[in-house]
């Protein structure tokens, strides 16, 4: 159940509040979106709330990267071991990587530009939208939250910042994949060995192929939770301003016209 029913007269809506989260249009920097797609295919689309496309590209990145040993090859190349980097890289899988990687960057940039135009039109129309949704499993509503708190929880664990601002799908997605990355990279075992002073053994036990996924997921989770907290606060203020002016200002405030 929600507190709004469309009249089929509106062409565009700025936002939609559902049990799984708040989806909204707002201005984005296309270059920033393209940069996130370059950092990890799929992240740029997730920032645009293009979830199906984003999850598809994310899974493609994991599968192709792991099968081609791309991250492992990058580690060897960064350490100057070029011959080993060539040896571990599987060209059968790596050649599949390049065209989709370029598409992810181009498509996220193009989509960001288009959605900025749609946002401007939706902002001018300023149509009503649901601000409250309640069901058997969840309750979601527009509210103001602290961006710094979203960042802090994301630093503790990717996905928790999204859960703080009720982005259930993205939060669950981030939590599941950080568990996968930490488990297969054996990061916690390496940290445990570091506390015991076994530095050489900690270096040997960690798997760099899976370890290099973690910084990208951490950075995305922090950025996504912060930006969406800020934009949700703006959306709350905009909706509240419209409600008050519609239901109270026109009856109590008289603005004299110029003679």
């Amino acid at each position: 159940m929600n507190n709004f029913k469309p009249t089929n007269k509106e062409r565009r809506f700025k936002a939609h509040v559902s049990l799984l989260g708040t989806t909204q249009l707002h201005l984005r920097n296309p270059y920033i979106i393209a940069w996130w797609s370059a950092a990890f295919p799929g992240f740029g689309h997730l920032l645009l709330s293009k979830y199906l496309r984003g999850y598809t590209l994310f899974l493609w990145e994991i599968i192709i990267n792991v099968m081609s040993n791309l991250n492992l090859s990058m580690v060897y190349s960064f350490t100057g071991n070029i011959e080993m980097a060539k040896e571990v890289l599987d060209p059968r899988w790596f050649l599949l990587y390049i065209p989709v990687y370029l598409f992810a960057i181009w498509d996220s940039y193009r989509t960001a530009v288009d959605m900025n135009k749609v946002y401007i039109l939706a902002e001018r129309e300023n149509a009503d939208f649901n601000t409250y949704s309640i069901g058997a499993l969840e309750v979601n509503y527009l509210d103001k939250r602290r961006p710094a708190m979203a960042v802090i929880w994301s630093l503790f664990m990717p996905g928790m910042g999204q859960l703080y601002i009720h982005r259930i799908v993205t939060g669950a997605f981030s939590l599941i994949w950080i568990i996968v990355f930490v488990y297969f990279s054996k990061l916690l075992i390496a940290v445990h060995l570091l506390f015991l002073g076994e530095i050489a053994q900690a270096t040997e036990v960690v798997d760099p192929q899976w370890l290099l996924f973690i910084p990208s997921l951490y950075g995305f989770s922090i950025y996504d939770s912060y930006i969406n907290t800020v934009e949700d606060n703006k959306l709350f203020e905009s909706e509240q301003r419209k409600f008050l002016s519609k239901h109270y200002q026109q009856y109590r405030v008289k603005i004299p016209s110029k003679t």
Side-chain angles (χ1 to χ4, degrees):
M1 295 184 294
N2 57 60
N3 59 351
F4 171 75
K5 291 183 179 180
T7 61
N8 294 327
K9 296 181 180 180
E10 301 85 358
R11 297 190 66 189
R12 301 172 181 87
F13 298 97
K14 289 194 300 182
H16 175 68
V17 176
S18 67
L19 297 180
L20 297 179
T22 301
T23 304
Q24 65 164 304
L25 297 173
H26 61 84
L27 292 177
R28 298 173 173 91
N29 188 332
Y31 293 104
I32 297 296
I33 299 298
W35 184 89
W36 276 110
S37 291
F40 205 111
F43 281 171
H45 291 85
L46 293 180
L47 289 171
L48 296 171
S49 298
K50 293 280 189 175
Y51 296 112
L52 294 179
R53 204 176 307 179
Y55 294 149
T56 301
L57 290 170
F58 182 90
L59 291 175
W60 168 87
E61 163 70 16
I62 299 298
I63 295 173
I64 302 299
N65 197 313
V66 171
M67 298 302 295
S68 65
N69 295 319
L70 179 59
N71 283 348
L72 185 59
S73 177
M74 291 171 59
V75 171
Y76 284 129
S77 64
F78 290 157
T79 56
N81 197 344
I82 305 300
E83 294 302 321
M84 184 61 72
K86 295 179 180 179
E87 184 177 344
V88 299
L89 189 64
D90 189 341
R92 295 175 302 173
W93 289 95
F94 178 69
L95 293 178
L96 295 173
Y97 188 89
I98 300 174
V100 183
Y101 180 79
L102 296 176
F103 168 81
I105 299 173
W106 172 81
D107 187 66
S108 63
Y109 177 88
R110 176 197 62 82
T111 305
V113 172
D114 288 344
M115 291 185 67
N116 284 345
K117 297 176 182 178
V118 174
Y119 165 76
I120 293 174
L121 294 174
E123 180 70 16
R124 290 177 179 175
E125 186 174 355
N126 199 21
D128 292 330
F129 58 90
N130 59 319
T131 59
Y132 178 86
S133 183
I134 184 171
L137 299 177
E138 269 292 353
V139 179
N140 187 22
Y141 50 89
L142 284 183
D143 193 14
K144 297 192 71 174
R145 294 179 172 87
R146 298 179 180 178
M149 190 61 66
V151 171
I152 291 173
W153 281 116
S154 295
L155 286 171
F156 276 114
M157 179 68 71
M160 295 176 66
Q162 279 85 357
L163 293 181
Y164 168 67
I165 59 175
H166 203 95
R167 287 173 63 83
I168 304 299
V169 177
T170 306
F173 167 83
S174 300
L175 282 171
I176 291 172
W177 280 104
I178 193 61
I179 293 173
V180 173
F181 295 157
V182 169
Y183 177 82
F184 284 104
S185 66
K186 302 178 183 177
L187 176 61
L188 295 183
I189 298 177
V191 172
H192 176 71
L193 292 172
L194 284 176
F195 281 123
L196 297 178
E198 302 290 343
I199 300 178
Q201 191 174 353
T203 305
E204 290 182 7
V205 75
V206 72
D207 187 345
Q209 173 61 41
W210 289 93
L211 182 66
L212 290 188
F213 289 132
I214 296 178
S216 298
L217 184 59
Y218 253 100
F220 166 77
S221 180
I222 294 170
Y223 179 81
D224 178 75
S225 61
Y226 176 82
I227 290 298
N228 280 283
T229 305
V230 172
E231 295 300 332
D232 285 351
N233 290 345
K234 293 179 182 178
L235 184 66
F236 172 80
E237 293 176 352
S238 174
E239 191 279 330
Q240 188 178 53
R241 187 184 306 114
K242 180 180 179 181
F243 175 82
L244 293 175
S245 63
K246 179 179 179 180
H247 290 85
Y248 295 97
Q249 182 172 321
Q250 60 178 328
Y251 301 109
R252 300 187 181 184
V253 179
K254 300 296 182 180
I255 302 177
S257 60
K258 293 183 179 180
T259 58

